[in-house]
Amino acid sequence: PVVWWPPAVEPASTSKSVSSNYLRFKFVATGPEGEKTSTGQALRKVAAPKVEPDHWLNHVRNVKCSRITVTGGKIPNSHHRGFAEQFIYYDGITDPPRSPIAQRVGDKVVIHSTSDHVWHDLLVIERLNGRVRISNWINQLDAGTQLTTITFSDVTDTESKTIQRLQMDLRNRLSAAGLNEDEADALVNTWSPGLFHQDGLMLFYRVPQKTYDQWLPLEMNPKPTKMVRVGIVVHSHLEPELETRVKALIDLLGDNDYRVRAKADERLVRIGGAAFKWIRQGVKHPDAEVSLRCERMLRDADAGIYALQKKQENQFKIEEPRPSVDKEQVDKIIKEIIRQKQQ
């Protein structure tokens, strides 16, 4: 686990966990009858943390469910010992599903996938150079090695209407998989930016519950009569030309024009974890500014992705010497900054 909400009993912190591969929560749910008791009334007085109206937490809270109060967990430097919520959230590191490989064949894309589980409700979306193309839904892709030819349709209607139609399709498919309608709405509304608005070539699919349970075991006490878990796997930036594009952007981080450097920096940040492989190489770039910008991007990026790569590196190398910094190059950067400010 890297970060979670609300506070867990174990580990007893909301900071990064280095000693545990699990989270344990203790909470109390109060229904209408329970609220009549003194304990229930006290629990109802624990307020859920307020967030801005457009915050994603509100999408998740807009689900008809029991309100829970987590007890036993704590936040460092906080006097609170109880936290009210309608969900449990966690972000962490696990072995990722094997990423498919995409190849272009004319105007189509061939997806090479190797999987030990079935893929359900597969959709492929491509956003490149202002062009948006969307595949048809694929209801099921069997386990094993597969070559799947993806045929796209260009978005001819207004993009917002097309995305709304896809969102409704996904809601229906999630409901058919076992979610209640408001749960399906919450999932789609929360993750819509990542599912429907990413740049590049990306695909997502629904994972079978049996596979989900194997990846991320969940235990509840008392044991529920029925448990429904619906997971979506997203593979972003599968475009074959990604390496060439990322390396070109990294080189632009050392451009003489500040505006060019800033634009390249912004585009690399938008690509995110898919560019980490080459951004880490950029840390060793002979240009000091390129090196510093790459290091900052990795430091500011998602902790889970960065920590996983650092963990993999440390299996083979205890310490990696930092790249030497050329004093003349640093002086050149300082002078450039001063010149830009004077302008």
Side-chain angles (χ1 to χ4, degrees):
V2 176
V3 64
W4 52 90
W5 175 258
V9 176
E10 294 182 63
S13 171
T14 54
S15 61
K16 178 184 174 184
S17 168
V18 295
S19 60
S20 307
N21 65 345
Y22 67 92
L23 294 170
R24 185 166 70 89
F25 296 91
K26 180 181 179 182
F27 60 84
V28 179
T30 56
E33 291 300 318
E35 292 172 14
K36 297 177 182 178
T37 66
S38 58
T39 301
Q41 291 175 7
L43 292 173
R44 291 297 295 178
K45 292 180 180 179
V46 179
K50 293 183 178 180
V51 294
E52 295 298 322
D54 59 346
H55 197 284
W56 67 268
L57 287 183
N58 286 327
H59 293 310
V60 187
R61 287 172 176 169
N62 192 27
V63 173
K64 185 179 179 181
C65 62
S66 296
R67 179 181 185 272
I68 63 174
T69 303
V70 177
T71 61
K74 63 181 181 179
I75 295 179
N77 304 319
S78 171
H79 66 279
H80 291 287
R81 291 296 181 269
F83 300 88
E85 260 311 344
Q86 292 176 255
F87 62 90
I88 288 174
Y89 164 85
Y90 57 93
D91 187 5
I93 302 169
T94 187
D95 293 331
R98 183 175 298 178
S99 182
I101 298 173
Q103 291 184 336
R104 298 194 185 280
V105 180
D107 214 30
K108 300 178 182 180
V109 168
V110 176
I111 300 293
H112 300 243
S113 60
T114 302
S115 175
D116 58 1
H117 62 273
V118 176
W119 292 10
H120 296 290
D121 303 326
L122 170 67
L123 188 70
V124 185
I125 303 176
E126 182 181 63
R127 289 176 175 271
L128 286 175
N129 304 319
R131 185 185 186 189
V132 182
R133 303 196 301 161
I134 299 172
S135 75
N136 292 324
W137 289 94
I138 298 176
N139 295 330
Q140 180 172 315
L141 204 62
D142 293 333
T145 300
Q146 303 283 339
L147 292 178
T148 307
T149 300
I150 305 297
T151 302
F152 293 96
S153 297
D154 281 275
V155 173
T156 54
D157 199 348
T158 60
E159 185 177 329
S160 61
K161 288 185 177 180
T162 301
I163 297 302
Q164 287 175 2
R165 175 177 55 80
L166 292 175
Q167 289 174 328
M168 184 58 66
D169 289 343
L170 181 57
R171 285 188 182 97
N172 294 337
R173 289 171 181 269
L174 293 174
S175 296
L179 293 186
N180 295 325
E181 289 186 3
D182 56 358
E183 292 172 332
D185 283 337
L187 192 155
V188 172
N189 291 334
T190 301
W191 295 104
S192 183
L195 296 176
F196 300 110
H197 298 277
Q198 284 200 45
D199 293 334
L201 178 68
M202 61 86 67
L203 66 81
F204 66 83
Y205 64 89
R206 178 173 59 84
V207 64
Q209 179 165 336
K210 181 179 179 181
T211 304
Y212 196 176
D213 289 335
Q214 291 173 347
W215 289 350
L216 296 170
L218 176 65
E219 297 179 8
M220 296 188 70
N221 180 25
K223 188 175 181 179
T225 304
K226 180 181 179 181
M227 184 182 295
V228 175
R229 304 182 75 186
V230 177
I232 294 180
V233 175
V234 182
H235 293 290
S236 60
H237 288 290
L238 296 176
E239 58 271 22
E241 60 277 4
L242 179 64
E243 178 178 0
T244 301
R245 183 153 57 98
V246 169
K247 287 184 176 180
L249 289 171
I250 290 174
D251 288 339
L252 290 177
L253 294 177
D255 193 272
N256 291 329
D257 189 331
Y258 171 79
R259 291 167 296 184
V260 174
R261 298 198 299 270
K263 186 67 175 178
D265 193 302
E266 178 186 348
R267 292 174 66 184
L268 283 168
V269 169
R270 286 188 63 182
I271 293 174
F276 273 18
K277 175 181 178 180
W278 302 289
I279 293 177
R280 284 204 56 75
Q281 295 174 3
V283 174
K284 304 173 185 178
H285 199 283
D287 188 311
E289 178 153 8
V290 174
S291 175
L292 290 171
R293 282 179 177 268
C294 288
E295 179 67 33
R296 178 187 56 76
M297 275 185 257
L298 294 171
R299 185 179 64 246
D300 295 345
D302 178 79
I305 302 174
Y306 191 26
L308 177 60
Q309 294 203 348
K310 295 295 287 185
K311 178 181 177 181
Q312 291 171 340
E313 286 180 2
N314 291 338
Q315 291 176 352
F316 304 99
K317 189 178 295 185
I318 301 300
E319 184 176 352
E320 183 175 296
R322 294 183 60 83
S324 60
V325 178
D326 183 79
K327 185 177 183 300
E328 292 182 0
Q329 184 68 26
V330 173
D331 291 338
K332 181 180 177 182
I333 294 172
I334 294 174
K335 290 178 182 178
E336 171 66 9
I337 293 173
I338 295 174
R339 186 181 68 82
Q340 292 287 342
K341 287 186 175 181
Q342 289 174 342
Q343 289 180 345

